[in-house]
Amino acid sequence: MRIFLLLSMLVFSHFVYASPVNVNTSSGEEVAQALNGIGSVKAQRIVEYCQKVQCKQPEDLLSVKGIGVKTLEKIREDLRFED
């Protein structure tokens, strides 16, 4: 029973903290809040990069300092590029 409760909490916490975010139109604060593991500095880098270069796919973010393949895989499902 405890294991079920713990697993339920872990799954639910993912849905509470992560939500889809359009990196082309959102603020740094919105990106940081929506993407697990992305703090304010990386979020601001993402926003600034996507303002200069209209991001169209997750792999575009690999050009952002601090975003590597592992990080991209963690946030991929919560990235949006169009409304």
Side-chain angles (χ1 to χ4, degrees):
M1 181 69 168
R2 289 181 183 168
I3 293 174
F4 176 75
L5 185 58
L6 179 61
L7 289 174
S8 297
M9 289 172 48
L10 290 173
V11 169
F12 180 72
S13 68
H14 173 73
F15 292 113
V16 170
Y17 295 111
S19 61
V21 64
N22 184 330
V23 294
N24 289 312
T25 60
S26 298
S27 69
E29 183 177 319
E30 291 169 325
V31 172
Q33 289 177 355
L35 300 177
N36 285 332
I38 299 296
S40 59
V41 173
K42 285 184 188 176
Q44 191 59 41
R45 288 179 189 158
I46 289 170
V47 168
E48 289 172 3
Y49 180 76
C50 290
Q51 286 175 348
K52 287 192 295 188
V53 178
Q54 184 78 14
C55 294
K56 296 179 180 157
Q57 60 185 1
E59 290 74 20
D60 292 344
L61 298 183
L62 292 173
S63 297
V64 176
K65 182 180 178 183
I67 305 294
V69 175
K70 288 182 182 181
T71 300
L72 183 60
E73 288 308 310
K74 290 178 186 177
I75 64 174
R76 177 183 294 276
E77 294 299 314
D78 295 315
L79 296 172
R80 300 293 176 267
F81 301 94
E82 297 177 354
D83 287 329

